[in-house]
Amino acid sequence: MLDFKKSNGLIPVIIQDARTLEVLMLGYMDEEAWEKTQSEGRVTFFSRSKKRLWTKGEESGHFLHVVSTHIDCDHDTLLIKVRPQGPTCHTGSRSCFNTDYNRNFIFELADVIDNRFAFPVAGSYVNRLHERGLTKVAQKVGEEAVETVIAALAEEEADFVNEASDLVFHLLVLLREKNISLDTIAKNLEGRHK
């Protein structure tokens, strides 16, 4: 149960992308905003400047769809993991914290690949790879691995970065071809680390 009395009726709410885990913004909720967020599945704040409830995206269409909610140990702060529908910041940026890039873009890329498998797009490179089948996709990963090693030994940083990126991309396609999620790989690596 959230304790709205500690901070004069408002609690801080951290908004985090459920897929990439990137912190997107900080807002405030009163009890009414919290109830509306729970009932509608979209984040609603209490706007301190407007002095009213404000559903993020009500004007822009960039809603924050609730995936999960987490109350802190003192019951006076909320973490909401969301699926953002467009940029979160009013400036048009992905995050209000002006990060240079999304460190977890690889998860977004895995989602794009999943989407191409589920909903093929004419001319899509992912779909062309998928149509060639598992053996060809696996061979492509092998080719990219060799090219990555060659680039690493040639000591050209830009070439190495490009080849390593190609390798990771094709490995993501191979994982999808085998129906193995990136989360499965992350959990396996974490388990090995312990």
Side-chain angles (χ1 to χ4, degrees):
M1 188 60 122
L2 285 165
D3 186 353
F4 289 95
K5 293 178 183 171
K6 282 186 184 176
S7 304
N8 297 322
L10 293 179
I11 61 166
V13 181
I14 302 159
I15 302 297
Q16 184 180 38
D17 188 307
R19 185 68 172 146
T20 67
L21 304 181
E22 182 179 22
V23 174
L24 300 175
M25 69 175 291
L26 172 73
Y28 293 88
M29 284 186 183
D30 62 6
E31 200 162 354
E32 187 180 2
W34 169 233
E35 289 170 3
K36 185 173 181 185
T37 296
Q38 290 180 92
S39 68
E40 294 183 358
R42 293 188 301 197
V43 177
T44 295
F45 297 104
F46 180 82
S47 172
R48 294 173 301 162
S49 59
K50 298 175 184 177
K51 305 280 190 242
R52 66 171 177 85
L53 293 186
W54 165 66
T55 299
K56 176 69 177 140
E58 66 187 26
E59 293 175 11
S60 66
H62 299 157
F63 295 104
L64 299 171
H65 301 279
V66 176
V67 173
S68 63
T69 59
H70 310 270
I71 300 171
D72 80 328
C73 58
D74 293 326
H75 303 277
D76 61 359
T77 303
L78 189 59
L79 169 66
I80 301 180
K81 293 184 180 181
V82 301
R83 184 177 43 81
Q85 186 177 332
T88 299
C89 186
H90 70 280
T91 65
S93 294
R94 184 180 61 259
S95 167
C96 292
F97 294 101
N98 201 19
T99 52
D100 293 339
Y101 66 99
N102 180 354
R103 290 185 65 151
N104 293 307
F105 174 74
I106 195 164
F107 286 100
E108 287 184 31
L109 184 56
D111 285 345
V112 169
I113 293 167
D114 285 346
N115 191 274
R116 290 292 189 270
F117 271 58
F119 308 101
V121 174
S124 162
Y125 180 64
V126 170
N127 290 136
R128 288 197 312 268
L129 284 172
H130 179 51
E131 288 167 4
R132 294 176 68 193
L134 176 63
T135 301
K136 293 295 185 182
V137 174
Q139 287 174 342
K140 188 65 178 167
V141 171
E143 291 171 18
E144 296 299 340
V146 170
E147 290 173 9
T148 301
V149 170
I150 291 168
L153 297 174
E155 298 182 18
E156 293 291 332
E157 184 177 330
D159 291 338
F160 175 69
V161 167
N162 282 326
E163 293 301 340
S165 297
D166 287 346
L167 175 58
V168 169
F169 171 79
H170 288 90
L171 181 58
L172 289 173
V173 175
L174 181 59
L175 286 170
R176 179 58 182 87
E177 197 69 50
K178 295 288 293 178
N179 289 316
I180 296 173
S181 72
L182 194 53
D183 289 335
T184 300
I185 301 301
K187 287 175 187 173
N188 187 47
L189 289 170
E190 182 181 33
R192 290 179 183 187
H193 180 70
K194 295 177 181 176

